[in-house]
Amino acid sequence: MIVGLYINDFALLNRITNHIKDKNIKLKHIKTLPISDNSIQVLISKKKIKKCEIPQIQPDNLEILELKIRCVIFECSDLVIGIDPGGVTGLSVIGANRILFMDTYKDVKNMSTVIDSINLEIGIQAVKIGTGSPPERTRILKALKKYSSIVQLVDEQNSGSGSHTKAATRIALRKGELNIGQNYHPKKGEIAWIQQESRRISKGLVTIDKELAYEILIGEVSMNQAIKKYTEKIKNR
């Protein structure tokens, strides 16, 4: 992929080059217009250039710059996003039967910001979220509430092992099996699992009660907040 850079802002140019990690994307600096180099497939410019036949990209959110380049090269929009919930959340973007983008996030807010940029700058057809890790899944659903009409839950059973991004890719490629139009009600087994996790994470010091486990599952509190809250509760007895 040959990508032209018509950028006179040195600071922006430096940030752009630092965000291009894909070795298949070759950058060429363009100094003058019109462009006579026929090898350039995509042009990155600060502002849209009139009467330029080369497809152009304006560098808005640089986190998805490589994704935007691939979408132009492979002529795709209306992307499918797969999300693997967990302590580290995996994200994969599929379009034109290709994996176009993968990343991991420790903060759901950072991931939702990236998804907002993808929707604004490219377009999203569906967001598929794995049913594993109920607390993280619930927090993701809340963070992506604005996309509720295109969100699907995907059963992760028998999906194999691998990295967070590989799991997210498998989720993106699977058919959504659950309707999330109904309110989520944690099951007894999920509550018990959260209680066990609280004991593991606190290194055996406490096992939170069912009420706090329920709050974690519906995304009201994090595990660390619940452990702290329960610890304070038993101290004040």
Side-chain angles (χ1 to χ4, degrees), residues 70-100:
R70 296 184 190 110
C71 284
V72 171
I73 295 291
F74 300 121
E75 299 181 347
C76 57
S77 58
D78 296 330
L79 307 173
V80 175
I81 293 178
I83 298 174
D84 176 44
V88 176
T89 298
L91 181 141
S92 179
V93 181
I94 306 294
N97 297 316
R98 298 172 182 268
I99 301 170
L100 300 172

Side-chain angles (χ1 to χ4, degrees), residues 8-93:
N8 294 320
D9 182 333
F10 181 77
L12 176 59
L13 182 66
N14 190 49
R15 293 204 309 275
I16 289 172
T17 54
N18 286 336
H19 273 83
I20 301 296
K21 307 296 184 185
D22 187 346
K23 293 180 180 179
N24 292 318
I25 298 175
K26 308 298 181 183
L27 300 176
K28 278 190 176 183
H29 188 55
I30 305 299
K31 295 182 179 180
T32 59
L33 297 175
I35 300 168
S36 57
D37 190 338
N38 294 327
S39 68
I40 293 175
Q41 297 170 274
V42 183
L43 180 66
I44 298 175
S45 56
K46 195 169 183 178
K47 294 181 180 179
K48 193 167 182 66
I49 300 169
K50 295 179 180 179
K51 297 180 181 180
C52 178
E53 295 182 359
I54 299 171
Q56 297 178 51
I57 291 174
Q58 277 64 56
D60 299 316
N61 185 345
L62 298 184
E63 295 298 320
I64 64 166
L65 182 58
E66 284 191 2
L67 172 61
K68 290 178 74 175
I69 292 170
R70 296 184 190 110
C71 284
V72 171
I73 295 291
F74 300 121
E75 299 181 347
C76 57
S77 58
D78 296 330
L79 307 173
V80 175
I81 293 178
I83 298 174
D84 176 44
V88 176
T89 298
L91 181 141
S92 179
V93 181

Side-chain angles (χ1 to χ4, degrees), residues 132-181:
S133 192
E136 285 77 12
R137 179 187 72 210
T138 303
R139 277 194 285 276
I140 291 167
L141 285 170
K142 284 192 171 187
L144 301 179
K145 191 175 180 180
K146 68 177 78 172
Y147 302 105
S148 59
S149 63
I150 60 170
V151 166
Q152 302 172 27
L153 291 184
V154 176
D155 189 350
E156 292 185 61
Q157 289 185 356
N158 303 317
S159 62
S161 58
S163 67
H164 301 294
T165 51
K166 285 183 179 179
T169 300
R170 289 193 293 269
I171 289 165
L173 294 173
R174 284 189 169 193
K175 183 180 178 181
E177 298 175 356
L178 299 177
N179 183 351
I180 66 162

